[in-house]
Amino acid sequence: MVTRRLHISGRVQGVGFRYSMRHEAERRGVRGWVRNRADGSVEALLAGDAEAIEALTAWARQGPPGAKVTEVQVLPAAEDAVPEGFELRATL
């Protein structure tokens, strides 16, 4: 099990990024959550096997149609508090 926190910057709000990420995560069997941040970025917590996390991180570098990702920061994260599924969370 690998756990990572992503901080995604660019035009990533108002383009369906969170909903698309949830779909991609569920398709790959990744657990976690995604939320908008007040600064216009998107934050996500991903937990799953290394290959699935790498694939979802690669997807996040492009995002859904309409997104323009300028940066993805990938940080290690603790495995505690990872939900069973993949959640959309409220803006922080």
Side-chain angles (χ1 to χ4, degrees):
M1 171 86 71
V2 174
T3 306
R4 297 286 182 264
R5 184 177 300 269
L6 304 184
H7 185 248
I8 306 149
S9 302
R11 188 175 68 222
V12 293
Q13 290 189 15
V15 295
F17 200 102
R18 293 175 305 139
Y19 297 98
S20 295
M21 178 173 261
R22 179 176 60 183
H23 173 77
E24 293 296 325
E26 289 173 344
R27 195 167 73 81
R28 291 174 168 86
V30 173
R31 298 172 24 218
W33 50 260
V34 62
R35 66 180 165 204
N36 286 338
R37 295 190 51 95
D39 66 2
S41 66
V42 169
E43 178 182 22
L45 179 72
L46 312 177
D49 71 55
E51 186 175 305
I53 298 300
E54 288 300 319
L56 190 54
T57 301
W59 176 89
R61 294 184 192 289
Q62 300 298 314
K68 183 172 169 77
V69 177
T70 57
E71 182 180 17
V72 176
Q73 295 177 330
V74 181
L75 306 166
E79 291 184 29
D80 58 338
V82 176
E84 284 304 311
F86 199 87
E87 301 174 352
L88 298 178
R89 293 212 170 160
T91 300
L92 177 66

